Structure formats: C-alpha cells, structure tokens
Amino acid sequence: MSPRDYYEVLGIKRNASEAEIKSAYRKLALKFHPDRNKENGAADKFKEASEAYSVLSDNEKRPRYDQFGHAGVGGGPGGGGVHVDLNDIFSQFGDMFAGGGGGGGSIFDTMFGGGAQRSQRNNTGRSMRASVDVSLTEVLHGVTRTLSMRRKESCSSCKGSGAAPGGTEEECAGCHGRGSVVHRQGFFASQIECPRCNGRGQTITKPCGTCRGSGLESKRTEIEIGIPAGIDDGSQMRVTGEGEAGSNGAPSGDLYVEVNIRQQDGFIRQGRDLYTEVDITWPQAVLGDKITVATLESEARMTVPAGTATGKVFRISGQGLPKLHGGNRGHLHVRIKVIVPKNLSRDEKNLVKDLHKIYKKKNK
C-alpha cells in the first residue's frame, strides 16, 4: 500500500510555511503520542506524522519530495532515504520530551519549551484566591479592603536561597541542571520533574533549617485591595505578584479577588440603575403629594401626581451607581405601592360609603 501524501498527513497546503508545518505536526504529535493515546492505530499515526515532518521540515528533502514525491526521499534515484521507526523517534528528534542534549535542543524543546526554561516556569509561585463582601453604598464610592492571609514567602533565614550558612548549590547529578529527567518504558518516553532536586536543577549541600532547602516559608501577611466604584457583583480582580513567592528566583504568583456585593435593604441593582418601592396612602394617591424617598446616600424629594395607581414607576435621575472607571451615575427607579387600609373606624367607613355613593351617582 503506497504511503499517503505528506502534506495530507499533516493537513496542510503544499505552500505551507515552516511555522505552519511545525504547528500542524505539534498538534498531531500531542494527539497521537503513545504515552497520551492508547487507542489502536495511534502509534502508527504518530509514526506517520513524524515521518512527514522529518521530510517537510528539511530544506533539502522537501524540494526533492515536491518534485519526485516519495521516490525523491526514498530508495529511488536521487533519494536521500527516509525511514522512521518508533524505536528511533526519540533519537531522531533529540529526545523530544527530554529537552535534548545538544546545544541546539530538539524540536520539542522549541515547540513545548524544555530543560532549564521549563524548570523556571514550574518554579513560579502559586496563585491564590480570596473573596470580599461589599455593600451597595461602598460600590457607590469605592472602598479599600485589607485581606489577612497566609502564604509562602521568601525565607527570612536564608533570603530565599535555601542554603544554610556555608551551604552551596551544585548542579543536580540526576538531571544535570535541566530540572527534568526522561522516564522511559520500552520505546515510550515522557519528561518528568527531577525527583532529586524537585525541578530546580540544583541541589544544596547544607539546606536551611527554617525552610528545609525550599527557600520558602509560610507567613501571615496583610494585603490592601482597592475596590473601584461601580464594580459588578462577581467581578474578579487580579493583583499581580501578590500570590505565593516563586522558588529559586522565579516570579511570584498572582492574587485573584472575587467581589461579592451584598444587596442593601430596600434596593435592587440592575447595572448602574437602582430600584426601590415606596408605600403611599390612598388619599395621597388620589390627591397627590410630595414624598421623601430614601437613596443610597441620604434622601430625595419626589412629587406624586394626583391619581397615581399602584405599580406606577418614577425616575430620580443621577441617584443610581456610577459606571466602572468613571462616567455618569445611573438612576433610581421608584415604584409606587398604594396601601389600602384594612381596619377602619366607623366614621372612616361612613366617609368611604358616602364617597362610593358619589362615584356611583357620577358614573350612571
């Protein structure tokens, strides 16, 4: 059975760039690598993709393949010969998950990042999460919160070096400074963190007694967080560098703070607008009146026209919440609720009856 077209194998066009070839192969290698994919045929597809990449990424082999097809890179005249066996894949591609051994590294070093660079990324401090509760009034003006939390910080005894006085760092004999080692099982291989140095690439001859060589110790600290006016409920704020400290000189993680807004009695929030409800008496609804409405800050005066029915909504401009990062405030929407009395005196009932007679006579 004749082999498939290499461009078809990688799913790319014949004029694909080197970057497109590398990207296509990377996706297939991740998908069909036998350590990841145990399905039948995955190893064959991985081998086929590796063979296609070995030809199309070669500046000498690719032109011959484009002109003569498989004969140009196989056993035919002018062919350079290409043969990929699963037992040879790691040696051909420079131990792709191992970071390679030469100065130039391997294709997987380039595409995935290996060796000391991978170790440095893994040493980045852990990000942390917290939450704060604020009121609608605090959303109106913005507020500052102080969070008390425990996190790993640079060791105060060794200043983060992990070494006690007189101790020194030496290149790890297990990974030779790379921070990772290759674990092989048959012809499959995977890269894991070096168990001897925990991915640091260095070992300490005399570890610090406080942090036991990690360079980090747990401390309680207070962090001041500024919460801006107009923030939405459930918003997440990122405070760069306020997570746990990184080891071996790596950067600290970040702190993610979720803002929860407490509903304030009498108000419902929708975006920048606030909604509230005000009770008025039946005579006020019939005759009209000027009433006082509570706002987030204090009070506002509002006119209720004569003949106002339950459910009528009025708007008080500029008494809502501000827009995040500046802008005009929203509005306060006031819904009227007419209270119908339940327990009337005899005189009150007689007055209502007389009024009812007038209505009946008027509407005949």
Side-chain angles (χ1 to χ4, degrees), residues 136 267-276 296 315-322 328-333:
L136 285 174
F267 297 97
I268 296 176
R269 179 189 185 182
Q270 289 188 8
R272 287 186 291 162
D273 290 346
L274 295 173
Y275 291 79
T276 190
L296 281 181
R315 188 181 77 179
I316 303 178
S317 299
Q319 288 297 322
L321 295 171
N328 295 330
R329 288 177 58 176
H331 310 301
L332 175 63
H333 301 268

mmCIF file with all atom_site columns, all heavy atoms in Angstrom, residues 136 267-276 296 315-322 328-333:
data_model
loop_
_atom_site.group_PDB
_atom_site.id
_atom_site.type_symbol
_atom_site.label_atom_id
_atom_site.label_alt_id
_atom_site.label_comp_id
_atom_site.label_asym_id
_atom_site.label_entity_id
_atom_site.label_seq_id
_atom_site.pdbx_PDB_ins_code
_atom_site.Cartn_x
_atom_site.Cartn_y
_atom_site.Cartn_z
_atom_site.occupancy
_atom_site.B_iso_or_equiv
_atom_site.pdbx_formal_charge
_atom_site.auth_seq_id
_atom_site.auth_comp_id
_atom_site.auth_asym_id
_atom_site.auth_atom_id
_atom_site.pdbx_PDB_model_num
ATOM 1   N N   . LEU A 1 136 ? -23.746 48.073 48.651 1.00 0.00 ? 136 LEU A N   1
ATOM 2   C CA  . LEU A 1 136 ? -24.047 48.956 47.523 1.00 0.00 ? 136 LEU A CA  1
ATOM 3   C C   . LEU A 1 136 ? -23.515 50.368 47.773 1.00 0.00 ? 136 LEU A C   1
ATOM 4   O O   . LEU A 1 136 ? -23.062 51.043 46.841 1.00 0.00 ? 136 LEU A O   1
ATOM 5   C CB  . LEU A 1 136 ? -25.560 49.001 47.287 1.00 0.00 ? 136 LEU A CB  1
ATOM 6   C CG  . LEU A 1 136 ? -26.176 47.771 46.615 1.00 0.00 ? 136 LEU A CG  1
ATOM 7   C CD1 . LEU A 1 136 ? -27.698 47.900 46.581 1.00 0.00 ? 136 LEU A CD1 1
ATOM 8   C CD2 . LEU A 1 136 ? -25.637 47.588 45.213 1.00 0.00 ? 136 LEU A CD2 1
ATOM 9   N N   . PHE A 1 267 ? -33.252 48.139 48.187 1.00 0.00 ? 267 PHE A N   1
ATOM 10  C CA  . PHE A 1 267 ? -32.736 48.447 46.854 1.00 0.00 ? 267 PHE A CA  1
ATOM 11  C C   . PHE A 1 267 ? -32.418 47.165 46.086 1.00 0.00 ? 267 PHE A C   1
ATOM 12  O O   . PHE A 1 267 ? -31.921 46.190 46.643 1.00 0.00 ? 267 PHE A O   1
ATOM 13  C CB  . PHE A 1 267 ? -31.461 49.297 46.934 1.00 0.00 ? 267 PHE A CB  1
ATOM 14  C CG  . PHE A 1 267 ? -31.675 50.644 47.550 1.00 0.00 ? 267 PHE A CG  1
ATOM 15  C CD1 . PHE A 1 267 ? -31.409 50.855 48.894 1.00 0.00 ? 267 PHE A CD1 1
ATOM 16  C CD2 . PHE A 1 267 ? -32.153 51.704 46.788 1.00 0.00 ? 267 PHE A CD2 1
ATOM 17  C CE1 . PHE A 1 267 ? -31.616 52.101 49.475 1.00 0.00 ? 267 PHE A CE1 1
ATOM 18  C CE2 . PHE A 1 267 ? -32.362 52.946 47.357 1.00 0.00 ? 267 PHE A CE2 1
ATOM 19  C CZ  . PHE A 1 267 ? -32.095 53.143 48.707 1.00 0.00 ? 267 PHE A CZ  1
ATOM 20  N N   . ILE A 1 268 ? -32.717 47.210 44.803 1.00 0.00 ? 268 ILE A N   1
ATOM 21  C CA  . ILE A 1 268 ? -32.326 46.143 43.877 1.00 0.00 ? 268 ILE A CA  1
ATOM 22  C C   . ILE A 1 268 ? -31.495 46.781 42.774 1.00 0.00 ? 268 ILE A C   1
ATOM 23  O O   . ILE A 1 268 ? -31.869 47.825 42.223 1.00 0.00 ? 268 ILE A O   1
ATOM 24  C CB  . ILE A 1 268 ? -33.557 45.431 43.281 1.00 0.00 ? 268 ILE A CB  1
ATOM 25  C CG1 . ILE A 1 268 ? -34.337 44.714 44.384 1.00 0.00 ? 268 ILE A CG1 1
ATOM 26  C CG2 . ILE A 1 268 ? -33.133 44.435 42.199 1.00 0.00 ? 268 ILE A CG2 1
ATOM 27  C CD1 . ILE A 1 268 ? -35.616 44.073 43.903 1.00 0.00 ? 268 ILE A CD1 1
ATOM 28  N N   . ARG A 1 269 ? -30.374 46.141 42.448 1.00 0.00 ? 269 ARG A N   1
ATOM 29  C CA  . ARG A 1 269 ? -29.469 46.709 41.442 1.00 0.00 ? 269 ARG A CA  1
ATOM 30  C C   . ARG A 1 269 ? -29.627 46.016 40.105 1.00 0.00 ? 269 ARG A C   1
ATOM 31  O O   . ARG A 1 269 ? -29.702 44.796 40.037 1.00 0.00 ? 269 ARG A O   1
ATOM 32  C CB  . ARG A 1 269 ? -28.016 46.562 41.902 1.00 0.00 ? 269 ARG A CB  1
ATOM 33  C CG  . ARG A 1 269 ? -27.012 47.110 40.876 1.00 0.00 ? 269 ARG A CG  1
ATOM 34  C CD  . ARG A 1 269 ? -25.595 46.770 41.253 1.00 0.00 ? 269 ARG A CD  1
ATOM 35  N NE  . ARG A 1 269 ? -24.641 47.384 40.345 1.00 0.00 ? 269 ARG A NE  1
ATOM 36  C CZ  . ARG A 1 269 ? -23.325 47.223 40.419 1.00 0.00 ? 269 ARG A CZ  1
ATOM 37  N NH1 . ARG A 1 269 ? -22.816 46.448 41.353 1.00 0.00 ? 269 ARG A NH1 1
ATOM 38  N NH2 . ARG A 1 269 ? -22.526 47.811 39.556 1.00 0.00 ? 269 ARG A NH2 1
ATOM 39  N N   . GLN A 1 270 ? -29.664 46.813 39.042 1.00 0.00 ? 270 GLN A N   1
ATOM 40  C CA  . GLN A 1 270 ? -29.604 46.301 37.681 1.00 0.00 ? 270 GLN A CA  1
ATOM 41  C C   . GLN A 1 270 ? -28.661 47.201 36.901 1.00 0.00 ? 270 GLN A C   1
ATOM 42  O O   . GLN A 1 270 ? -29.043 48.304 36.481 1.00 0.00 ? 270 GLN A O   1
ATOM 43  C CB  . GLN A 1 270 ? -30.983 46.260 37.025 1.00 0.00 ? 270 GLN A CB  1
ATOM 44  C CG  . GLN A 1 270 ? -31.906 45.195 37.598 1.00 0.00 ? 270 GLN A CG  1
ATOM 45  C CD  . GLN A 1 270 ? -33.189 45.044 36.788 1.00 0.00 ? 270 GLN A CD  1
ATOM 46  O OE1 . GLN A 1 270 ? -33.340 45.615 35.715 1.00 0.00 ? 270 GLN A OE1 1
ATOM 47  N NE2 . GLN A 1 270 ? -34.112 44.267 37.310 1.00 0.00 ? 270 GLN A NE2 1
ATOM 48  N N   . GLY A 1 271 ? -27.419 46.743 36.739 1.00 0.00 ? 271 GLY A N   1
ATOM 49  C CA  . GLY A 1 271 ? -26.414 47.566 36.084 1.00 0.00 ? 271 GLY A CA  1
ATOM 50  C C   . GLY A 1 271 ? -26.104 48.781 36.932 1.00 0.00 ? 271 GLY A C   1
ATOM 51  O O   . GLY A 1 271 ? -25.803 48.683 38.127 1.00 0.00 ? 271 GLY A O   1
ATOM 52  N N   . ARG A 1 272 ? -26.231 49.968 36.335 1.00 0.00 ? 272 ARG A N   1
ATOM 53  C CA  . ARG A 1 272 ? -25.997 51.207 37.081 1.00 0.00 ? 272 ARG A CA  1
ATOM 54  C C   . ARG A 1 272 ? -27.255 51.722 37.763 1.00 0.00 ? 272 ARG A C   1
ATOM 55  O O   . ARG A 1 272 ? -27.189 52.657 38.568 1.00 0.00 ? 272 ARG A O   1
ATOM 56  C CB  . ARG A 1 272 ? -25.450 52.287 36.137 1.00 0.00 ? 272 ARG A CB  1
ATOM 57  C CG  . ARG A 1 272 ? -24.020 52.089 35.715 1.00 0.00 ? 272 ARG A CG  1
ATOM 58  C CD  . ARG A 1 272 ? -23.528 53.276 34.913 1.00 0.00 ? 272 ARG A CD  1
ATOM 59  N NE  . ARG A 1 272 ? -24.179 53.367 33.606 1.00 0.00 ? 272 ARG A NE  1
ATOM 60  C CZ  . ARG A 1 272 ? -24.198 54.458 32.850 1.00 0.00 ? 272 ARG A CZ  1
ATOM 61  N NH1 . ARG A 1 272 ? -23.633 55.570 33.283 1.00 0.00 ? 272 ARG A NH1 1
ATOM 62  N NH2 . ARG A 1 272 ? -24.794 54.451 31.677 1.00 0.00 ? 272 ARG A NH2 1
ATOM 63  N N   . ASP A 1 273 ? -28.417 51.162 37.441 1.00 0.00 ? 273 ASP A N   1
ATOM 64  C CA  . ASP A 1 273 ? -29.680 51.648 37.988 1.00 0.00 ? 273 ASP A CA  1
ATOM 65  C C   . ASP A 1 273 ? -30.055 50.905 39.270 1.00 0.00 ? 273 ASP A C   1
ATOM 66  O O   . ASP A 1 273 ? -29.725 49.725 39.449 1.00 0.00 ? 273 ASP A O   1
ATOM 67  C CB  . ASP A 1 273 ? -30.799 51.487 36.964 1.00 0.00 ? 273 ASP A CB  1
ATOM 68  C CG  . ASP A 1 273 ? -30.645 52.450 35.791 1.00 0.00 ? 273 ASP A CG  1
ATOM 69  O OD1 . ASP A 1 273 ? -29.840 53.395 35.914 1.00 0.00 ? 273 ASP A OD1 1
ATOM 70  O OD2 . ASP A 1 273 ? -31.318 52.256 34.764 1.00 0.00 ? 273 ASP A OD2 1
ATOM 71  N N   . LEU A 1 274 ? -30.776 51.618 40.136 1.00 0.00 ? 274 LEU A N   1
ATOM 72  C CA  . LEU A 1 274 ? -31.301 51.048 41.364 1.00 0.00 ? 274 LEU A CA  1
ATOM 73  C C   . LEU A 1 274 ? -32.825 51.112 41.336 1.00 0.00 ? 274 LEU A C   1
ATOM 74  O O   . LEU A 1 274 ? -33.405 52.024 40.743 1.00 0.00 ? 274 LEU A O   1
ATOM 75  C CB  . LEU A 1 274 ? -30.782 51.812 42.583 1.00 0.00 ? 274 LEU A CB  1
ATOM 76  C CG  . LEU A 1 274 ? -29.275 51.744 42.845 1.00 0.00 ? 274 LEU A CG  1
ATOM 77  C CD1 . LEU A 1 274 ? -28.891 52.678 43.979 1.00 0.00 ? 274 LEU A CD1 1
ATOM 78  C CD2 . LEU A 1 274 ? -28.838 50.322 43.156 1.00 0.00 ? 274 LEU A CD2 1
ATOM 79  N N   . TYR A 1 275 ? -33.447 50.135 41.981 1.00 0.00 ? 275 TYR A N   1
ATOM 80  C CA  . TYR A 1 275 ? -34.904 50.070 42.023 1.00 0.00 ? 275 TYR A CA  1
ATOM 81  C C   . TYR A 1 275 ? -35.339 49.967 43.487 1.00 0.00 ? 275 TYR A C   1
ATOM 82  O O   . TYR A 1 275 ? -34.740 49.227 44.277 1.00 0.00 ? 275 TYR A O   1
ATOM 83  C CB  . TYR A 1 275 ? -35.421 48.865 41.237 1.00 0.00 ? 275 TYR A CB  1
ATOM 84  C CG  . TYR A 1 275 ? -35.212 49.003 39.747 1.00 0.00 ? 275 TYR A CG  1
ATOM 85  C CD1 . TYR A 1 275 ? -33.960 48.753 39.186 1.00 0.00 ? 275 TYR A CD1 1
ATOM 86  C CD2 . TYR A 1 275 ? -36.247 49.398 38.909 1.00 0.00 ? 275 TYR A CD2 1
ATOM 87  C CE1 . TYR A 1 275 ? -33.755 48.898 37.820 1.00 0.00 ? 275 TYR A CE1 1
ATOM 88  C CE2 . TYR A 1 275 ? -36.053 49.537 37.544 1.00 0.00 ? 275 TYR A CE2 1
ATOM 89  C CZ  . TYR A 1 275 ? -34.791 49.285 37.011 1.00 0.00 ? 275 TYR A CZ  1
ATOM 90  O OH  . TYR A 1 275 ? -34.592 49.437 35.656 1.00 0.00 ? 275 TYR A OH  1
ATOM 91  N N   . THR A 1 276 ? -36.369 50.724 43.830 1.00 0.00 ? 276 THR A N   1
ATOM 92  C CA  . THR A 1 276 ? -36.899 50.695 45.183 1.00 0.00 ? 276 THR A CA  1
ATOM 93  C C   . THR A 1 276 ? -38.417 50.827 45.132 1.00 0.00 ? 276 THR A C   1
ATOM 94  O O   . THR A 1 276 ? -38.990 51.145 44.074 1.00 0.00 ? 276 THR A O   1
ATOM 95  C CB  . THR A 1 276 ? -36.278 51.817 46.042 1.00 0.00 ? 276 THR A CB  1
ATOM 96  O OG1 . THR A 1 276 ? -36.640 51.620 47.406 1.00 0.00 ? 276 THR A OG1 1
ATOM 97  C CG2 . THR A 1 276 ? -36.743 53.189 45.582 1.00 0.00 ? 276 THR A CG2 1
ATOM 98  N N   . LEU A 1 296 ? -29.223 55.841 48.398 1.00 0.00 ? 296 LEU A N   1
ATOM 99  C CA  . LEU A 1 296 ? -28.044 55.224 48.997 1.00 0.00 ? 296 LEU A CA  1
ATOM 100 C C   . LEU A 1 296 ? -27.294 56.199 49.900 1.00 0.00 ? 296 LEU A C   1
ATOM 101 O O   . LEU A 1 296 ? -26.706 55.807 50.906 1.00 0.00 ? 296 LEU A O   1
ATOM 102 C CB  . LEU A 1 296 ? -27.091 54.716 47.905 1.00 0.00 ? 296 LEU A CB  1
ATOM 103 C CG  . LEU A 1 296 ? -27.444 53.395 47.237 1.00 0.00 ? 296 LEU A CG  1
ATOM 104 C CD1 . LEU A 1 296 ? -26.382 53.028 46.214 1.00 0.00 ? 296 LEU A CD1 1
ATOM 105 C CD2 . LEU A 1 296 ? -27.581 52.269 48.257 1.00 0.00 ? 296 LEU A CD2 1
ATOM 106 N N   . ARG A 1 315 ? -38.802 58.060 38.013 1.00 0.00 ? 315 ARG A N   1
ATOM 107 C CA  . ARG A 1 315 ? -37.347 58.019 37.937 1.00 0.00 ? 315 ARG A CA  1
ATOM 108 C C   . ARG A 1 315 ? -36.733 59.262 38.568 1.00 0.00 ? 315 ARG A C   1
ATOM 109 O O   . ARG A 1 315 ? -37.131 60.384 38.248 1.00 0.00 ? 315 ARG A O   1
ATOM 110 C CB  . ARG A 1 315 ? -36.894 57.908 36.485 1.00 0.00 ? 315 ARG A CB  1
ATOM 111 C CG  . ARG A 1 315 ? -35.391 57.675 36.330 1.00 0.00 ? 315 ARG A CG  1
ATOM 112 C CD  . ARG A 1 315 ? -34.994 57.598 34.879 1.00 0.00 ? 315 ARG A CD  1
ATOM 113 N NE  . ARG A 1 315 ? -34.946 58.932 34.270 1.00 0.00 ? 315 ARG A NE  1
ATOM 114 C CZ  . ARG A 1 315 ? -34.613 59.146 33.000 1.00 0.00 ? 315 ARG A CZ  1
ATOM 115 N NH1 . ARG A 1 315 ? -34.360 58.123 32.200 1.00 0.00 ? 315 ARG A NH1 1
ATOM 116 N NH2 . ARG A 1 315 ? -34.581 60.375 32.523 1.00 0.00 ? 315 ARG A NH2 1
ATOM 117 N N   . ILE A 1 316 ? -35.763 59.038 39.441 1.00 0.00 ? 316 ILE A N   1
ATOM 118 C CA  . ILE A 1 316 ? -34.982 60.134 40.010 1.00 0.00 ? 316 ILE A CA  1
ATOM 119 C C   . ILE A 1 316 ? -33.590 60.056 39.382 1.00 0.00 ? 316 ILE A C   1
ATOM 120 O O   . ILE A 1 316 ? -32.831 59.117 39.647 1.00 0.00 ? 316 ILE A O   1
ATOM 121 C CB  . ILE A 1 316 ? -34.900 60.038 41.543 1.00 0.00 ? 316 ILE A CB  1
ATOM 122 C CG1 . ILE A 1 316 ? -36.309 60.010 42.149 1.00 0.00 ? 316 ILE A CG1 1
ATOM 123 C CG2 . ILE A 1 316 ? -34.101 61.199 42.104 1.00 0.00 ? 316 ILE A CG2 1
ATOM 124 C CD1 . ILE A 1 316 ? -36.317 59.872 43.654 1.00 0.00 ? 316 ILE A CD1 1
ATOM 125 N N   . SER A 1 317 ? -33.263 60.994 38.548 1.00 0.00 ? 317 SER A N   1
ATOM 126 C CA  . SER A 1 317 ? -32.016 60.939 37.776 1.00 0.00 ? 317 SER A CA  1
ATOM 127 C C   . SER A 1 317 ? -30.798 61.109 38.677 1.00 0.00 ? 317 SER A C   1
ATOM 128 O O   . SER A 1 317 ? -30.819 61.862 39.662 1.00 0.00 ? 317 SER A O   1
ATOM 129 C CB  . SER A 1 317 ? -32.012 62.033 36.701 1.00 0.00 ? 317 SER A CB  1
ATOM 130 O OG  . SER A 1 317 ? -33.073 61.852 35.793 1.00 0.00 ? 317 SER A OG  1
ATOM 131 N N   . GLY A 1 318 ? -29.723 60.382 38.314 1.00 0.00 ? 318 GLY A N   1
ATOM 132 C CA  . GLY A 1 318 ? -28.436 60.548 38.978 1.00 0.00 ? 318 GLY A CA  1
ATOM 133 C C   . GLY A 1 318 ? -28.333 59.990 40.374 1.00 0.00 ? 318 GLY A C   1
ATOM 134 O O   . GLY A 1 318 ? -27.365 60.274 41.084 1.00 0.00 ? 318 GLY A O   1
ATOM 135 N N   . GLN A 1 319 ? -29.300 59.169 40.791 1.00 0.00 ? 319 GLN A N   1
ATOM 136 C CA  . GLN A 1 319 ? -29.252 58.593 42.132 1.00 0.00 ? 319 GLN A CA  1
ATOM 137 C C   . GLN A 1 319 ? -28.966 57.097 42.097 1.00 0.00 ? 319 GLN A C   1
ATOM 138 O O   . GLN A 1 319 ? -29.208 56.385 43.067 1.00 0.00 ? 319 GLN A O   1
ATOM 139 C CB  . GLN A 1 319 ? -30.565 58.862 42.873 1.00 0.00 ? 319 GLN A CB  1
ATOM 140 C CG  . GLN A 1 319 ? -30.765 60.301 43.289 1.00 0.00 ? 319 GLN A CG  1
ATOM 141 C CD  . GLN A 1 319 ? -29.707 60.759 44.285 1.00 0.00 ? 319 GLN A CD  1
ATOM 142 O OE1 . GLN A 1 319 ? -29.286 60.002 45.157 1.00 0.00 ? 319 GLN A OE1 1
ATOM 143 N NE2 . GLN A 1 319 ? -29.276 62.021 44.166 1.00 0.00 ? 319 GLN A NE2 1
ATOM 144 N N   . GLY A 1 320 ? -28.424 56.630 40.960 1.00 0.00 ? 320 GLY A N   1
ATOM 145 C CA  . GLY A 1 320 ? -28.018 55.233 40.860 1.00 0.00 ? 320 GLY A CA  1
ATOM 146 C C   . GLY A 1 320 ? -26.540 55.080 41.173 1.00 0.00 ? 320 GLY A C   1
ATOM 147 O O   . GLY A 1 320 ? -25.966 55.825 41.965 1.00 0.00 ? 320 GLY A O   1
ATOM 148 N N   . LEU A 1 321 ? -25.885 54.108 40.527 1.00 0.00 ? 321 LEU A N   1
ATOM 149 C CA  . LEU A 1 321 ? -24.476 53.813 40.756 1.00 0.00 ? 321 LEU A CA  1
ATOM 150 C C   . LEU A 1 321 ? -23.633 54.330 39.602 1.00 0.00 ? 321 LEU A C   1
ATOM 151 O O   . LEU A 1 321 ? -24.131 54.466 38.471 1.00 0.00 ? 321 LEU A O   1
ATOM 152 C CB  . LEU A 1 321 ? -24.268 52.301 40.908 1.00 0.00 ? 321 LEU A CB  1
ATOM 153 C CG  . LEU A 1 321 ? -24.939 51.669 42.121 1.00 0.00 ? 321 LEU A CG  1
ATOM 154 C CD1 . LEU A 1 321 ? -24.851 50.153 42.043 1.00 0.00 ? 321 LEU A CD1 1
ATOM 155 C CD2 . LEU A 1 321 ? -24.302 52.170 43.418 1.00 0.00 ? 321 LEU A CD2 1
ATOM 156 N N   . PRO A 1 322 ? -22.361 54.596 39.846 1.00 0.00 ? 322 PRO A N   1
ATOM 157 C CA  . PRO A 1 322 ? -21.502 55.098 38.763 1.00 0.00 ? 322 PRO A CA  1
ATOM 158 C C   . PRO A 1 322 ? -21.067 53.977 37.828 1.00 0.00 ? 322 PRO A C   1
ATOM 159 O O   . PRO A 1 322 ? -21.126 52.793 38.178 1.00 0.00 ? 322 PRO A O   1
ATOM 160 C CB  . PRO A 1 322 ? -20.297 55.669 39.522 1.00 0.00 ? 322 PRO A CB  1
ATOM 161 C CG  . PRO A 1 322 ? -20.219 54.836 40.760 1.00 0.00 ? 322 PRO A CG  1
ATOM 162 C CD  . PRO A 1 322 ? -21.642 54.522 41.138 1.00 0.00 ? 322 PRO A CD  1
ATOM 163 N N   . ASN A 1 328 ? -21.125 58.879 34.101 1.00 0.00 ? 328 ASN A N   1
ATOM 164 C CA  . ASN A 1 328 ? -22.314 59.361 34.802 1.00 0.00 ? 328 ASN A CA  1
ATOM 165 C C   . ASN A 1 328 ? -22.960 58.259 35.627 1.00 0.00 ? 328 ASN A C   1
ATOM 166 O O   . ASN A 1 328 ? -22.889 57.071 35.281 1.00 0.00 ? 328 ASN A O   1
ATOM 167 C CB  . ASN A 1 328 ? -23.328 59.921 33.798 1.00 0.00 ? 328 ASN A CB  1
ATOM 168 C CG  . ASN A 1 328 ? -22.796 61.148 33.079 1.00 0.00 ? 328 ASN A CG  1
ATOM 169 O OD1 . ASN A 1 328 ? -21.995 61.901 33.635 1.00 0.00 ? 328 ASN A OD1 1
ATOM 170 N ND2 . ASN A 1 328 ? -23.232 61.337 31.840 1.00 0.00 ? 328 ASN A ND2 1
ATOM 171 N N   . ARG A 1 329 ? -23.631 58.679 36.698 1.00 0.00 ? 329 ARG A N   1
ATOM 172 C CA  . ARG A 1 329 ? -24.336 57.720 37.528 1.00 0.00 ? 329 ARG A CA  1
ATOM 173 C C   . ARG A 1 329 ? -25.654 57.309 36.874 1.00 0.00 ? 329 ARG A C   1
ATOM 174 O O   . ARG A 1 329 ? -26.221 58.036 36.063 1.00 0.00 ? 329 ARG A O   1
ATOM 175 C CB  . ARG A 1 329 ? -24.609 58.329 38.901 1.00 0.00 ? 329 ARG A CB  1
ATOM 176 C CG  . ARG A 1 329 ? -23.373 58.464 39.766 1.00 0.00 ? 329 ARG A CG  1
ATOM 177 C CD  . ARG A 1 329 ? -23.684 59.135 41.080 1.00 0.00 ? 329 ARG A CD  1
ATOM 178 N NE  . ARG A 1 329 ? -24.700 58.412 41.851 1.00 0.00 ? 329 ARG A NE  1
ATOM 179 C CZ  . ARG A 1 329 ? -25.086 58.772 43.079 1.00 0.00 ? 329 ARG A CZ  1
ATOM 180 N NH1 . ARG A 1 329 ? -24.539 59.848 43.647 1.00 0.00 ? 329 ARG A NH1 1
ATOM 181 N NH2 . ARG A 1 329 ? -26.009 58.083 43.717 1.00 0.00 ? 329 ARG A NH2 1
ATOM 182 N N   . GLY A 1 330 ? -26.124 56.141 37.254 1.00 0.00 ? 330 GLY A N   1
ATOM 183 C CA  . GLY A 1 330 ? -27.409 55.675 36.774 1.00 0.00 ? 330 GLY A CA  1
ATOM 184 C C   . GLY A 1 330 ? -28.541 56.365 37.522 1.00 0.00 ? 330 GLY A C   1
ATOM 185 O O   . GLY A 1 330 ? -28.353 57.394 38.176 1.00 0.00 ? 330 GLY A O   1
ATOM 186 N N   . HIS A 1 331 ? -29.733 55.773 37.444 1.00 0.00 ? 331 HIS A N   1
ATOM 187 C CA  . HIS A 1 331 ? -30.924 56.420 38.017 1.00 0.00 ? 331 HIS A CA  1
ATOM 188 C C   . HIS A 1 331 ? -31.534 55.546 39.109 1.00 0.00 ? 331 HIS A C   1
ATOM 189 O O   . HIS A 1 331 ? -31.281 54.321 39.184 1.00 0.00 ? 331 HIS A O   1
ATOM 190 C CB  . HIS A 1 331 ? -31.959 56.674 36.926 1.00 0.00 ? 331 HIS A CB  1
ATOM 191 C CG  . HIS A 1 331 ? -31.393 57.369 35.718 1.00 0.00 ? 331 HIS A CG  1
ATOM 192 N ND1 . HIS A 1 331 ? -30.784 58.598 35.788 1.00 0.00 ? 331 HIS A ND1 1
ATOM 193 C CD2 . HIS A 1 331 ? -31.347 56.989 34.405 1.00 0.00 ? 331 HIS A CD2 1
ATOM 194 C CE1 . HIS A 1 331 ? -30.385 58.960 34.585 1.00 0.00 ? 331 HIS A CE1 1
ATOM 195 N NE2 . HIS A 1 331 ? -30.716 58.002 33.733 1.00 0.00 ? 331 HIS A NE2 1
ATOM 196 N N   . LEU A 1 332 ? -32.346 56.184 39.940 1.00 0.00 ? 332 LEU A N   1
ATOM 197 C CA  . LEU A 1 332 ? -33.121 55.475 40.949 1.00 0.00 ? 332 LEU A CA  1
ATOM 198 C C   . LEU A 1 332 ? -34.566 55.400 40.462 1.00 0.00 ? 332 LEU A C   1
ATOM 199 O O   . LEU A 1 332 ? -35.205 56.427 40.223 1.00 0.00 ? 332 LEU A O   1
ATOM 200 C CB  . LEU A 1 332 ? -33.043 56.201 42.292 1.00 0.00 ? 332 LEU A CB  1
ATOM 201 C CG  . LEU A 1 332 ? -33.915 55.622 43.418 1.00 0.00 ? 332 LEU A CG  1
ATOM 202 C CD1 . LEU A 1 332 ? -33.481 54.203 43.765 1.00 0.00 ? 332 LEU A CD1 1
ATOM 203 C CD2 . LEU A 1 332 ? -33.847 56.518 44.663 1.00 0.00 ? 332 LEU A CD2 1
ATOM 204 N N   . HIS A 1 333 ? -35.088 54.187 40.298 1.00 0.00 ? 333 HIS A N   1
ATOM 205 C CA  . HIS A 1 333 ? -36.463 53.982 39.837 1.00 0.00 ? 333 HIS A CA  1
ATOM 206 C C   . HIS A 1 333 ? -37.337 53.652 41.048 1.00 0.00 ? 333 HIS A C   1
ATOM 207 O O   . HIS A 1 333 ? -37.058 52.706 41.793 1.00 0.00 ? 333 HIS A O   1
ATOM 208 C CB  . HIS A 1 333 ? -36.514 52.852 38.813 1.00 0.00 ? 333 HIS A CB  1
ATOM 209 C CG  . HIS A 1 333 ? -35.661 53.120 37.606 1.00 0.00 ? 333 HIS A CG  1
ATOM 210 N ND1 . HIS A 1 333 ? -36.132 53.723 36.464 1.00 0.00 ? 333 HIS A ND1 1
ATOM 211 C CD2 . HIS A 1 333 ? -34.336 52.879 37.379 1.00 0.00 ? 333 HIS A CD2 1
ATOM 212 C CE1 . HIS A 1 333 ? -35.163 53.832 35.577 1.00 0.00 ? 333 HIS A CE1 1
ATOM 213 N NE2 . HIS A 1 333 ? -34.057 53.331 36.100 1.00 0.00 ? 333 HIS A NE2 1
#
